[in-house]
Each structure stands twice: as structure tokens, then as C-alpha cells.
Amino acid sequence: MYLEIVTPEAILFSGEVTSVVVPGVNGEFQMLDNHAPIISLLGKGDVKVFGDMNLEEEVATKFTEGENGATLLSINSGTIEMKDNKVVVLAD
């Protein structure tokens, strides 16, 4: 699936990934390939991305390494949209 992570300052990542786990306001949930369309609010927590992420040098410091090969991005809030195998995370 294709993932875009966007903040008010910049597009932090854009590319193919295996799966994404996000901190929904009612709990954490995961999206895999061909997930049903969804729009949701995000709460404070970590966006966990699985797959090979080639991060640009300018934004790499915003991400950390997590367990099981996950790449983590801490957010305070945001929204997510999954449609047609494309995930867009608008994060703050």
C-alpha cells in the first residue's frame, strides 16, 4: 500500500509500505493492503510503519526505531484516510 505522512511543515514520507498502525482516539488499529476505506481521528501516540522506509535526511530525525522492525513517528493528534490502497496521515 502507498503511505503519505503529512505535517503542517512538510511531507515527511511518501512511498510503499507493508502496514501502518495508528493511535486512533478509541484505541490503536492497523491497516494492511486492501483495507476497507476509512477516515478516523488520531490521538496522541506513535504511528508505526512496517516496511522499507527510505527517509530523507532532513526528516529522518523525527522518526525512531521500534520493535519488530517498525519505524515510529510520535504525534499529538491528526486524521487518517485509507482509500484505494492509499493511506494519508495528516499529523500534528
Side-chain angles (χ1 to χ4, degrees):
M1 80 179 103
Y2 192 82
L3 171 66
E4 280 187 352
I5 301 176
V6 182
T7 67
E9 295 83 30
I11 296 174
L12 299 183
F13 177 76
S14 189
E16 291 288 327
V17 298
T18 306
S19 70
V20 181
V21 179
V22 294
V25 292
N26 292 321
E28 192 174 78
F29 63 95
Q30 180 177 28
M31 288 160 291
L32 300 166
D33 267 348
N34 301 310
H35 191 283
I38 186 172
I39 295 175
S40 180
L41 293 174
L42 301 177
K44 186 177 178 95
D46 290 327
V47 175
K48 300 174 188 171
V49 182
F50 295 89
D52 187 22
M53 292 180 70
N54 294 318
L55 298 169
E56 306 235 350
E57 198 173 310
E58 311 84 58
V59 300
T61 58
K62 296 185 183 294
F63 293 85
T64 58
E65 273 189 49
E67 297 178 359
N68 301 322
T71 302
L72 309 178
L73 173 67
S74 291
I75 64 169
N76 291 316
S77 63
T79 59
I80 187 164
E81 178 184 18
M82 170 79 176
K83 183 179 175 187
D84 298 328
N85 227 26
K86 180 179 180 181
V87 180
V88 178
V89 176
L90 302 174
D92 184 27

